[in-house]
Amino acid sequence: MSTAFQMKQDEKIVICKNQDVIYDGVYLFTNQRGVHKTSLMMPPAVPASWVSRYGSITISQNGKENPNGGMNELGLVVEQTTLWSTEHLPADDKPTVNELQWIQYMLDTCGTVQEVLQAVTTIRIDQSTSKLHYLITDRSGECAIIELLDGQMHIYTDHLSTPVIANTAYLQAVEEMISGDRNWTDRDEYEKNSMERFLTVWERTKKSTLDMNMIDFGFEYDPGEMEIHAKTSQNDETRIIRLADFDYSNESLAVAADLQLLRASHVQEDFVTYTTEFNHNVVYSFFRDPTLTSIFHWEISDEVIQYLAQYPESFR
């Protein structure tokens, strides 16, 4: 159960995200410019290939290049939450990425929301394991929500009454807010919880005065200051990750960090040089977590885990 939304006050823009999950593993990765990538696709899908134009910092639970969200050095933010009603576009001849690499692709190649809206017409999501919808914002404050419903792409842009995604289709949630319908007793607990979170954000952002200092979310992206503010259930001390503190040049090495272990007073120093061993620990911890395994009933061999961990080594 997650919530993501954009807040504006005067010239200030903040994108907030709560990732309310049962798994505590969460990691940060830097991503370099000028890297030639090919998506992780199995035949018969045609994998997308691209060269990263922008550096970024991404947040992931299950390995580098499969982010849950992130921000690039131009201030583009891409976030997601689960949407079980998602139905992806039918197969065609477009090159493909999975639902998380879609985020990395946009951060690598786009600097604005308008560029994302052009890019979504050139690739297709395939072989997904999760059903998601996306919140995209940029440094200018432009915002878009992208959903895939009934095999069609739905894009909501600047006319957004409230730029927020929980775990309900955006238009459905907005229509219920406008109608004043709060009778969710016939919904299951998951859907009811989603609408209650949507309502909380709706009411807060509709206030005539908005105290940005009252924001208290797990992740807060600040494109104006080019910062990510982060805290976790294990460590509620806010850590500030400044994108300007990292080198995204092709000649430099990527770095990574365990967010749970990141200290507020030593943020940059707690990042380590990225290695396949680091990534293997991330991937292995996720797919071997006993709680997740009992819920999703996945059977993933050690060879597949090693393959996923080594995947970034295939880049040039």
Side-chain angles (χ1 to χ4, degrees), residues 8-56:
K8 290 182 181 180
Q9 186 180 47
D10 301 324
E11 300 299 317
K12 185 74 170 178
I13 302 165
V14 177
I15 300 89
C16 305
K17 169 72 178 292
N18 255 20
Q19 183 91 351
D20 304 319
V21 293
I22 57 176
Y23 178 65
D24 289 333
V26 56
Y27 304 88
L28 299 170
F29 298 94
T30 64
N31 306 281
Q32 314 309 105
R33 305 181 210 104
V35 179
H36 187 281
K37 303 180 180 182
T38 299
S39 63
L40 190 60
M41 286 283 116
M42 300 296 290
V46 178
S49 293
W50 69 97
V51 176
S52 56
R53 296 175 60 193
Y54 307 112
S56 62

mmCIF file of all heavy atoms in Angstrom, residues 8-56:
data_model
loop_
_atom_site.group_PDB
_atom_site.id
_atom_site.type_symbol
_atom_site.label_atom_id
_atom_site.label_comp_id
_atom_site.label_asym_id
_atom_site.label_seq_id
_atom_site.Cartn_x
_atom_site.Cartn_y
_atom_site.Cartn_z
ATOM 1 N N LYS A 8 2.439 21.849 -4.153
ATOM 2 C CA LYS A 8 2.988 23.125 -4.603
ATOM 3 C C LYS A 8 2.604 24.218 -3.616
ATOM 4 O O LYS A 8 1.482 24.246 -3.113
ATOM 5 C CB LYS A 8 2.441 23.505 -5.985
ATOM 6 C CG LYS A 8 2.931 22.669 -7.139
ATOM 7 C CD LYS A 8 2.340 23.207 -8.446
ATOM 8 C CE LYS A 8 2.768 22.407 -9.638
ATOM 9 N NZ LYS A 8 2.200 22.940 -10.894
ATOM 10 N N GLN A 9 3.536 25.113 -3.364
ATOM 11 C CA GLN A 9 3.248 26.322 -2.590
ATOM 12 C C GLN A 9 4.183 27.414 -3.076
ATOM 13 O O GLN A 9 5.403 27.299 -2.953
ATOM 14 C CB GLN A 9 3.449 26.095 -1.098
ATOM 15 C CG GLN A 9 3.015 27.298 -0.255
ATOM 16 C CD GLN A 9 3.214 27.052 1.225
ATOM 17 O OE1 GLN A 9 4.270 26.592 1.636
ATOM 18 N NE2 GLN A 9 2.208 27.327 2.017
ATOM 19 N N ASP A 10 3.586 28.448 -3.657
ATOM 20 C CA ASP A 10 4.365 29.518 -4.276
ATOM 21 C C ASP A 10 5.287 28.888 -5.329
ATOM 22 O O ASP A 10 4.834 28.254 -6.240
ATOM 23 C CB ASP A 10 5.134 30.306 -3.222
ATOM 24 C CG ASP A 10 4.191 30.936 -2.188
ATOM 25 O OD1 ASP A 10 3.089 31.353 -2.582
ATOM 26 O OD2 ASP A 10 4.554 30.981 -1.004
ATOM 27 N N GLU A 11 6.597 29.047 -5.162
ATOM 28 C CA GLU A 11 7.544 28.477 -6.117
ATOM 29 C C GLU A 11 8.057 27.104 -5.683
ATOM 30 O O GLU A 11 8.849 26.482 -6.396
ATOM 31 C CB GLU A 11 8.734 29.430 -6.295
ATOM 32 C CG GLU A 11 8.357 30.809 -6.816
ATOM 33 C CD GLU A 11 7.695 30.733 -8.192
ATOM 34 O OE1 GLU A 11 8.198 29.968 -9.038
ATOM 35 O OE2 GLU A 11 6.692 31.432 -8.406
ATOM 36 N N LYS A 12 7.616 26.630 -4.532
ATOM 37 C CA LYS A 12 8.123 25.381 -3.977
ATOM 38 C C LYS A 12 7.334 24.194 -4.525
ATOM 39 O O LYS A 12 6.100 24.213 -4.544
ATOM 40 C CB LYS A 12 8.016 25.409 -2.455
ATOM 41 C CG LYS A 12 8.626 24.210 -1.748
ATOM 42 C CD LYS A 12 10.141 24.250 -1.761
ATOM 43 C CE LYS A 12 10.724 23.201 -0.849
ATOM 44 N NZ LYS A 12 12.196 23.202 -0.879
ATOM 45 N N ILE A 13 8.051 23.162 -4.956
ATOM 46 C CA ILE A 13 7.435 21.931 -5.455
ATOM 47 C C ILE A 13 8.062 20.754 -4.713
ATOM 48 O O ILE A 13 9.289 20.654 -4.635
ATOM 49 C CB ILE A 13 7.668 21.763 -6.968
ATOM 50 C CG1 ILE A 13 7.103 22.960 -7.751
ATOM 51 C CG2 ILE A 13 7.042 20.467 -7.471
ATOM 52 C CD1 ILE A 13 7.615 23.035 -9.167
ATOM 53 N N VAL A 14 7.234 19.899 -4.158
ATOM 54 C CA VAL A 14 7.719 18.720 -3.456
ATOM 55 C C VAL A 14 6.900 17.516 -3.911
ATOM 56 O O VAL A 14 5.676 17.606 -4.046
ATOM 57 C CB VAL A 14 7.613 18.870 -1.923
ATOM 58 C CG1 VAL A 14 8.054 17.594 -1.219
ATOM 59 C CG2 VAL A 14 8.452 20.046 -1.438
ATOM 60 N N ILE A 15 7.584 16.394 -4.155
ATOM 61 C CA ILE A 15 6.917 15.146 -4.494
ATOM 62 C C ILE A 15 7.127 14.184 -3.331
ATOM 63 O O ILE A 15 8.270 13.944 -2.918
ATOM 64 C CB ILE A 15 7.464 14.541 -5.797
ATOM 65 C CG1 ILE A 15 7.255 15.519 -6.959
ATOM 66 C CG2 ILE A 15 6.773 13.216 -6.110
ATOM 67 C CD1 ILE A 15 8.391 16.487 -7.154
ATOM 68 N N CYS A 16 6.043 13.669 -2.787
ATOM 69 C CA CYS A 16 6.098 12.844 -1.578
ATOM 70 C C CYS A 16 5.706 11.411 -1.909
ATOM 71 O O CYS A 16 4.830 11.171 -2.742
ATOM 72 C CB CYS A 16 5.146 13.387 -0.516
ATOM 73 S SG CYS A 16 5.421 15.130 -0.116
ATOM 74 N N LYS A 17 6.330 10.459 -1.203
ATOM 75 C CA LYS A 17 6.036 9.049 -1.444
ATOM 76 C C LYS A 17 6.159 8.271 -0.142
ATOM 77 O O LYS A 17 7.152 8.396 0.576
ATOM 78 C CB LYS A 17 7.016 8.475 -2.468
ATOM 79 C CG LYS A 17 6.998 6.931 -2.617
ATOM 80 C CD LYS A 17 5.744 6.461 -3.331
ATOM 81 C CE LYS A 17 5.735 4.943 -3.517
ATOM 82 N NZ LYS A 17 6.742 4.445 -4.463
ATOM 83 N N ASN A 18 5.150 7.499 0.173
ATOM 84 C CA ASN A 18 5.216 6.511 1.243
ATOM 85 C C ASN A 18 5.165 5.131 0.618
ATOM 86 O O ASN A 18 4.241 4.833 -0.141
ATOM 87 C CB ASN A 18 4.038 6.667 2.219
ATOM 88 C CG ASN A 18 4.473 7.305 3.520
ATOM 89 O OD1 ASN A 18 5.508 7.946 3.592
ATOM 90 N ND2 ASN A 18 3.671 7.142 4.547
ATOM 91 N N GLN A 19 6.147 4.306 0.937
ATOM 92 C CA GLN A 19 6.172 2.922 0.465
ATOM 93 C C GLN A 19 5.863 2.044 1.677
ATOM 94 O O GLN A 19 6.744 1.695 2.446
ATOM 95 C CB GLN A 19 7.552 2.589 -0.122
ATOM 96 C CG GLN A 19 7.659 1.199 -0.699
ATOM 97 C CD GLN A 19 7.307 1.139 -2.177
ATOM 98 O OE1 GLN A 19 6.819 2.096 -2.747
ATOM 99 N NE2 GLN A 19 7.545 0.002 -2.791
ATOM 100 N N ASP A 20 4.593 1.731 1.865
ATOM 101 C CA ASP A 20 4.154 0.984 3.051
ATOM 102 C C ASP A 20 4.119 -0.502 2.713
ATOM 103 O O ASP A 20 3.111 -1.029 2.249
ATOM 104 C CB ASP A 20 2.767 1.462 3.492
ATOM 105 C CG ASP A 20 2.751 2.959 3.744
ATOM 106 O OD1 ASP A 20 3.720 3.467 4.330
ATOM 107 O OD2 ASP A 20 1.772 3.620 3.361
ATOM 108 N N VAL A 21 5.253 -1.174 2.928
ATOM 109 C CA VAL A 21 5.367 -2.577 2.548
ATOM 110 C C VAL A 21 5.902 -3.392 3.721
ATOM 111 O O VAL A 21 6.418 -2.846 4.700
ATOM 112 C CB VAL A 21 6.289 -2.752 1.319
ATOM 113 C CG1 VAL A 21 5.665 -2.124 0.088
ATOM 114 C CG2 VAL A 21 7.657 -2.139 1.588
ATOM 115 N N ILE A 22 5.802 -4.701 3.581
ATOM 116 C CA ILE A 22 6.198 -5.601 4.666
ATOM 117 C C ILE A 22 7.669 -5.976 4.591
ATOM 118 O O ILE A 22 8.166 -6.710 5.452
ATOM 119 C CB ILE A 22 5.348 -6.878 4.637
ATOM 120 C CG1 ILE A 22 5.487 -7.568 3.269
ATOM 121 C CG2 ILE A 22 3.894 -6.573 4.937
ATOM 122 C CD1 ILE A 22 4.765 -8.883 3.180
ATOM 123 N N TYR A 23 8.376 -5.475 3.573
ATOM 124 C CA TYR A 23 9.786 -5.809 3.380
ATOM 125 C C TYR A 23 10.629 -4.585 3.676
ATOM 126 O O TYR A 23 10.372 -3.499 3.154
ATOM 127 C CB TYR A 23 10.000 -6.291 1.944
ATOM 128 C CG TYR A 23 11.432 -6.615 1.613
ATOM 129 C CD1 TYR A 23 12.092 -7.674 2.239
ATOM 130 C CD2 TYR A 23 12.135 -5.878 0.663
ATOM 131 C CE1 TYR A 23 13.409 -7.982 1.927
ATOM 132 C CE2 TYR A 23 13.440 -6.183 0.335
ATOM 133 C CZ TYR A 23 14.080 -7.231 0.982
ATOM 134 O OH TYR A 23 15.385 -7.523 0.669
ATOM 135 N N ASP A 24 11.661 -4.736 4.506
ATOM 136 C CA ASP A 24 12.442 -3.589 4.970
ATOM 137 C C ASP A 24 13.620 -3.240 4.074
ATOM 138 O O ASP A 24 14.225 -2.183 4.234
ATOM 139 C CB ASP A 24 12.974 -3.850 6.390
ATOM 140 C CG ASP A 24 11.877 -3.813 7.436
ATOM 141 O OD1 ASP A 24 10.870 -3.114 7.188
ATOM 142 O OD2 ASP A 24 12.020 -4.472 8.478
ATOM 143 N N GLY A 25 13.988 -4.099 3.138
ATOM 144 C CA GLY A 25 15.141 -3.821 2.294
ATOM 145 C C GLY A 25 14.887 -2.659 1.356
ATOM 146 O O GLY A 25 13.891 -2.636 0.637
ATOM 147 N N VAL A 26 15.787 -1.658 1.353
ATOM 148 C CA VAL A 26 15.644 -0.518 0.444
ATOM 149 C C VAL A 26 17.031 0.072 0.201
ATOM 150 O O VAL A 26 17.799 0.285 1.142
ATOM 151 C CB VAL A 26 14.667 0.539 1.013
ATOM 152 C CG1 VAL A 26 15.084 1.018 2.393
ATOM 153 C CG2 VAL A 26 14.509 1.709 0.062
ATOM 154 N N TYR A 27 17.346 0.315 -1.076
ATOM 155 C CA TYR A 27 18.705 0.677 -1.458
ATOM 156 C C TYR A 27 18.690 1.845 -2.439
ATOM 157 O O TYR A 27 17.720 2.051 -3.178
ATOM 158 C CB TYR A 27 19.399 -0.533 -2.089
ATOM 159 C CG TYR A 27 19.389 -1.737 -1.176
ATOM 160 C CD1 TYR A 27 18.306 -2.632 -1.203
ATOM 161 C CD2 TYR A 27 20.408 -1.964 -0.271
ATOM 162 C CE1 TYR A 27 18.265 -3.723 -0.354
ATOM 163 C CE2 TYR A 27 20.370 -3.054 0.588
ATOM 164 C CZ TYR A 27 19.300 -3.934 0.548
ATOM 165 O OH TYR A 27 19.251 -4.999 1.406
ATOM 166 N N LEU A 28 19.790 2.581 -2.437
ATOM 167 C CA LEU A 28 19.965 3.716 -3.337
ATOM 168 C C LEU A 28 21.100 3.398 -4.302
ATOM 169 O O LEU A 28 22.133 2.843 -3.907
ATOM 170 C CB LEU A 28 20.301 4.982 -2.556
ATOM 171 C CG LEU A 28 19.257 5.457 -1.533
ATOM 172 C CD1 LEU A 28 19.835 6.574 -0.672
ATOM 173 C CD2 LEU A 28 17.994 5.934 -2.228
ATOM 174 N N PHE A 29 20.907 3.784 -5.567
ATOM 175 C CA PHE A 29 21.927 3.567 -6.593
ATOM 176 C C PHE A 29 22.113 4.846 -7.399
ATOM 177 O O PHE A 29 21.132 5.521 -7.730
ATOM 178 C CB PHE A 29 21.514 2.455 -7.553
ATOM 179 C CG PHE A 29 21.342 1.105 -6.918
ATOM 180 C CD1 PHE A 29 20.094 0.684 -6.486
ATOM 181 C CD2 PHE A 29 22.427 0.256 -6.757
ATOM 182 C CE1 PHE A 29 19.929 -0.567 -5.904
ATOM 183 C CE2 PHE A 29 22.270 -0.997 -6.179
ATOM 184 C CZ PHE A 29 21.023 -1.413 -5.749
ATOM 185 N N THR A 30 23.358 5.165 -7.752
ATOM 186 C CA THR A 30 23.576 6.195 -8.758
ATOM 187 C C THR A 30 23.659 5.526 -10.119
ATOM 188 O O THR A 30 24.065 4.371 -10.246
ATOM 189 C CB THR A 30 24.865 7.002 -8.496
ATOM 190 O OG1 THR A 30 26.008 6.143 -8.608
ATOM 191 C CG2 THR A 30 24.830 7.656 -7.126
ATOM 192 N N ASN A 31 23.283 6.273 -11.142
ATOM 193 C CA ASN A 31 23.261 5.759 -12.513
ATOM 194 C C ASN A 31 23.969 6.766 -13.406
ATOM 195 O O ASN A 31 23.663 7.968 -13.369
ATOM 196 C CB ASN A 31 21.815 5.548 -12.964
ATOM 197 C CG ASN A 31 21.040 4.671 -11.989
ATOM 198 O OD1 ASN A 31 21.170 3.465 -12.003
ATOM 199 N ND2 ASN A 31 20.262 5.292 -11.106
ATOM 200 N N GLN A 32 24.900 6.279 -14.217
ATOM 201 C CA GLN A 32 25.807 7.153 -14.960
ATOM 202 C C GLN A 32 25.242 7.538 -16.326
ATOM 203 O O GLN A 32 24.413 6.840 -16.904
ATOM 204 C CB GLN A 32 27.159 6.471 -15.145
ATOM 205 C CG GLN A 32 27.724 5.811 -13.898
ATOM 206 C CD GLN A 32 27.738 6.716 -12.692
ATOM 207 O OE1 GLN A 32 26.923 6.577 -11.782
ATOM 208 N NE2 GLN A 32 28.651 7.671 -12.684
ATOM 209 N N ARG A 33 25.764 8.643 -16.859
ATOM 210 C CA ARG A 33 25.450 9.042 -18.231
ATOM 211 C C ARG A 33 26.253 8.184 -19.219
ATOM 212 O O ARG A 33 27.270 7.606 -18.874
ATOM 213 C CB ARG A 33 25.837 10.504 -18.473
ATOM 214 C CG ARG A 33 25.257 11.501 -17.534
ATOM 215 C CD ARG A 33 25.709 12.910 -17.926
ATOM 216 N NE ARG A 33 25.780 13.769 -16.751
ATOM 217 C CZ ARG A 33 26.894 14.128 -16.153
ATOM 218 N NH1 ARG A 33 28.055 13.709 -16.628
ATOM 219 N NH2 ARG A 33 26.858 14.906 -15.093
ATOM 220 N N GLY A 34 25.794 8.180 -20.464
ATOM 221 C CA GLY A 34 26.569 7.577 -21.536
ATOM 222 C C GLY A 34 26.700 6.079 -21.472
ATOM 223 O O GLY A 34 27.644 5.511 -22.033
ATOM 224 N N VAL A 35 25.748 5.397 -20.815
ATOM 225 C CA VAL A 35 25.788 3.941 -20.716
ATOM 226 C C VAL A 35 24.791 3.347 -21.715
ATOM 227 O O VAL A 35 23.619 3.732 -21.730
ATOM 228 C CB VAL A 35 25.462 3.473 -19.287
ATOM 229 C CG1 VAL A 35 25.495 1.951 -19.203
ATOM 230 C CG2 VAL A 35 26.442 4.085 -18.284
ATOM 231 N N HIS A 36 25.264 2.419 -22.533
ATOM 232 C CA HIS A 36 24.384 1.760 -23.502
ATOM 233 C C HIS A 36 23.723 0.569 -22.822
ATOM 234 O O HIS A 36 24.406 -0.334 -22.333
ATOM 235 C CB HIS A 36 25.177 1.296 -24.721
ATOM 236 C CG HIS A 36 24.322 0.760 -25.828
ATOM 237 N ND1 HIS A 36 23.792 -0.520 -25.811
ATOM 238 C CD2 HIS A 36 23.865 1.333 -26.972
ATOM 239 C CE1 HIS A 36 23.063 -0.715 -26.894
ATOM 240 N NE2 HIS A 36 23.097 0.388 -27.615
ATOM 241 N N LYS A 37 22.388 0.559 -22.806
ATOM 242 C CA LYS A 37 21.633 -0.463 -22.086
ATOM 243 C C LYS A 37 20.680 -1.194 -23.020
ATOM 244 O O LYS A 37 20.160 -0.613 -23.979
ATOM 245 C CB LYS A 37 20.820 0.175 -20.943
ATOM 246 C CG LYS A 37 21.654 0.971 -19.947
ATOM 247 C CD LYS A 37 20.794 1.571 -18.837
ATOM 248 C CE LYS A 37 21.625 2.367 -17.859
ATOM 249 N NZ LYS A 37 20.816 2.912 -16.744
ATOM 250 N N THR A 38 20.444 -2.440 -22.697
ATOM 251 C CA THR A 38 19.416 -3.237 -23.370
ATOM 252 C C THR A 38 18.533 -3.843 -22.299
ATOM 253 O O THR A 38 19.037 -4.375 -21.303
ATOM 254 C CB THR A 38 20.037 -4.347 -24.235
ATOM 255 O OG1 THR A 38 20.858 -3.745 -25.246
ATOM 256 C CG2 THR A 38 18.952 -5.181 -24.907
ATOM 257 N N SER A 39 17.221 -3.736 -22.475
ATOM 258 C CA SER A 39 16.290 -4.164 -21.435
ATOM 259 C C SER A 39 16.336 -5.674 -21.224
ATOM 260 O O SER A 39 16.736 -6.434 -22.101
ATOM 261 C CB SER A 39 14.863 -3.727 -21.780
ATOM 262 O OG SER A 39 14.420 -4.351 -22.971
ATOM 263 N N LEU A 40 15.910 -6.075 -20.051
ATOM 264 C CA LEU A 40 15.935 -7.479 -19.644
ATOM 265 C C LEU A 40 14.647 -8.157 -20.099
ATOM 266 O O LEU A 40 13.681 -8.263 -19.357
ATOM 267 C CB LEU A 40 16.082 -7.561 -18.126
ATOM 268 C CG LEU A 40 16.370 -8.927 -17.513
ATOM 269 C CD1 LEU A 40 17.678 -9.486 -18.051
ATOM 270 C CD2 LEU A 40 16.432 -8.810 -15.994
ATOM 271 N N MET A 41 14.639 -8.589 -21.360
ATOM 272 C CA MET A 41 13.448 -9.185 -21.972
ATOM 273 C C MET A 41 13.763 -10.552 -22.537
ATOM 274 O O MET A 41 14.846 -10.785 -23.078
ATOM 275 C CB MET A 41 12.932 -8.294 -23.109
ATOM 276 C CG MET A 41 12.242 -7.023 -22.663
ATOM 277 S SD MET A 41 10.559 -7.333 -22.062
ATOM 278 C CE MET A 41 10.752 -6.850 -20.358
ATOM 279 N N MET A 42 12.811 -11.460 -22.423
ATOM 280 C CA MET A 42 12.943 -12.780 -23.011
ATOM 281 C C MET A 42 12.167 -12.831 -24.332
ATOM 282 O O MET A 42 11.153 -12.144 -24.481
ATOM 283 C CB MET A 42 12.391 -13.838 -22.049
ATOM 284 C CG MET A 42 13.103 -13.886 -20.706
ATOM 285 S SD MET A 42 14.836 -14.372 -20.851
ATOM 286 C CE MET A 42 14.618 -16.097 -21.287
ATOM 287 N N PRO A 43 12.628 -13.633 -25.307
ATOM 288 C CA PRO A 43 11.883 -13.783 -26.559
ATOM 289 C C PRO A 43 10.458 -14.269 -26.255
ATOM 290 O O PRO A 43 10.240 -14.952 -25.259
ATOM 291 C CB PRO A 43 12.694 -14.837 -27.318
ATOM 292 C CG PRO A 43 14.063 -14.783 -26.710
ATOM 293 C CD PRO A 43 13.845 -14.431 -25.270
ATOM 294 N N PRO A 44 9.482 -13.878 -27.079
ATOM 295 C CA PRO A 44 9.643 -13.211 -28.377
ATOM 296 C C PRO A 44 9.624 -11.689 -28.306
ATOM 297 O O PRO A 44 9.646 -11.031 -29.346
ATOM 298 C CB PRO A 44 8.416 -13.711 -29.150
ATOM 299 C CG PRO A 44 7.363 -13.831 -28.088
ATOM 300 C CD PRO A 44 8.084 -14.320 -26.852
ATOM 301 N N ALA A 45 9.568 -11.103 -27.103
ATOM 302 C CA ALA A 45 9.548 -9.650 -26.989
ATOM 303 C C ALA A 45 10.837 -9.053 -27.547
ATOM 304 O O ALA A 45 11.915 -9.641 -27.434
ATOM 305 C CB ALA A 45 9.373 -9.238 -25.524
ATOM 306 N N VAL A 46 10.720 -7.879 -28.151
ATOM 307 C CA VAL A 46 11.879 -7.165 -28.679
ATOM 308 C C VAL A 46 12.405 -6.236 -27.598
ATOM 309 O O VAL A 46 11.701 -5.314 -27.165
ATOM 310 C CB VAL A 46 11.497 -6.352 -29.930
ATOM 311 C CG1 VAL A 46 12.699 -5.564 -30.438
ATOM 312 C CG2 VAL A 46 10.945 -7.262 -31.014
ATOM 313 N N PRO A 47 13.616 -6.452 -27.084
ATOM 314 C CA PRO A 47 14.118 -5.600 -26.001
ATOM 315 C C PRO A 47 14.462 -4.197 -26.488
ATOM 316 O O PRO A 47 14.975 -4.023 -27.595
ATOM 317 C CB PRO A 47 15.373 -6.339 -25.521
ATOM 318 C CG PRO A 47 15.819 -7.128 -26.700
ATOM 319 C CD PRO A 47 14.569 -7.523 -27.438
ATOM 320 N N ALA A 48 14.151 -3.209 -25.669
ATOM 321 C CA ALA A 48 14.528 -1.834 -25.983
ATOM 322 C C ALA A 48 16.011 -1.639 -25.712
ATOM 323 O O ALA A 48 16.580 -2.241 -24.802
ATOM 324 C CB ALA A 48 13.704 -0.863 -25.149
ATOM 325 N N SER A 49 16.648 -0.782 -26.497
ATOM 326 C CA SER A 49 18.036 -0.381 -26.279
ATOM 327 C C SER A 49 18.107 1.133 -26.277
ATOM 328 O O SER A 49 17.414 1.794 -27.052
ATOM 329 C CB SER A 49 18.954 -0.951 -27.371
ATOM 330 O OG SER A 49 19.025 -2.362 -27.286
ATOM 331 N N TRP A 50 18.959 1.681 -25.427
ATOM 332 C CA TRP A 50 19.090 3.127 -25.323
ATOM 333 C C TRP A 50 20.418 3.482 -24.681
ATOM 334 O O TRP A 50 21.091 2.631 -24.095
ATOM 335 C CB TRP A 50 17.927 3.726 -24.527
ATOM 336 C CG TRP A 50 17.909 3.385 -23.059
ATOM 337 C CD1 TRP A 50 18.387 4.135 -22.015
ATOM 338 C CD2 TRP A 50 17.365 2.195 -22.447
ATOM 339 N NE1 TRP A 50 18.189 3.510 -20.815
ATOM 340 C CE2 TRP A 50 17.565 2.316 -21.046
ATOM 341 C CE3 TRP A 50 16.737 1.060 -22.947
ATOM 342 C CZ2 TRP A 50 17.158 1.333 -20.152
ATOM 343 C CZ3 TRP A 50 16.337 0.078 -22.060
ATOM 344 C CH2 TRP A 50 16.541 0.215 -20.682
ATOM 345 N N VAL A 51 20.794 4.744 -24.789
ATOM 346 C CA VAL A 51 21.977 5.271 -24.115
ATOM 347 C C VAL A 51 21.508 6.307 -23.110
ATOM 348 O O VAL A 51 20.726 7.214 -23.445
ATOM 349 C CB VAL A 51 22.960 5.904 -25.119
ATOM 350 C CG1 VAL A 51 24.147 6.536 -24.380
ATOM 351 C CG2 VAL A 51 23.449 4.866 -26.119
ATOM 352 N N SER A 52 21.946 6.185 -21.882
ATOM 353 C CA SER A 52 21.509 7.119 -20.839
ATOM 354 C C SER A 52 22.072 8.511 -21.095
ATOM 355 O O SER A 52 23.281 8.688 -21.255
ATOM 356 C CB SER A 52 21.946 6.611 -19.461
ATOM 357 O OG SER A 52 23.346 6.410 -19.413
ATOM 358 N N ARG A 53 21.188 9.484 -21.134
ATOM 359 C CA ARG A 53 21.585 10.880 -21.355
ATOM 360 C C ARG A 53 21.819 11.599 -20.038
ATOM 361 O O ARG A 53 22.604 12.562 -19.985
ATOM 362 C CB ARG A 53 20.487 11.612 -22.132
ATOM 363 C CG ARG A 53 20.224 11.096 -23.525
ATOM 364 C CD ARG A 53 19.034 11.808 -24.144
ATOM 365 N NE ARG A 53 19.263 13.253 -24.247
ATOM 366 C CZ ARG A 53 18.283 14.125 -24.520
ATOM 367 N NH1 ARG A 53 17.037 13.694 -24.685
ATOM 368 N NH2 ARG A 53 18.561 15.404 -24.604
ATOM 369 N N TYR A 54 21.154 11.156 -18.978
ATOM 370 C CA TYR A 54 21.204 11.860 -17.701
ATOM 371 C C TYR A 54 21.570 10.900 -16.577
ATOM 372 O O TYR A 54 21.188 9.734 -16.575
ATOM 373 C CB TYR A 54 19.850 12.507 -17.394
ATOM 374 C CG TYR A 54 19.335 13.374 -18.511
ATOM 375 C CD1 TYR A 54 18.202 13.002 -19.243
ATOM 376 C CD2 TYR A 54 19.990 14.547 -18.865
ATOM 377 C CE1 TYR A 54 17.740 13.794 -20.290
ATOM 378 C CE2 TYR A 54 19.536 15.339 -19.907
ATOM 379 C CZ TYR A 54 18.407 14.960 -20.613
ATOM 380 O OH TYR A 54 17.954 15.731 -21.640
ATOM 381 N N GLY A 55 22.298 11.410 -15.605
ATOM 382 C CA GLY A 55 22.555 10.667 -14.390
ATOM 383 C C GLY A 55 21.361 10.758 -13.466
ATOM 384 O O GLY A 55 20.528 11.670 -13.566
ATOM 385 N N SER A 56 21.279 9.807 -12.536
ATOM 386 C CA SER A 56 20.135 9.805 -11.619
ATOM 387 C C SER A 56 20.491 9.067 -10.342
ATOM 388 O O SER A 56 21.501 8.357 -10.264
ATOM 389 C CB SER A 56 18.918 9.133 -12.273
ATOM 390 O OG SER A 56 19.192 7.774 -12.578
#
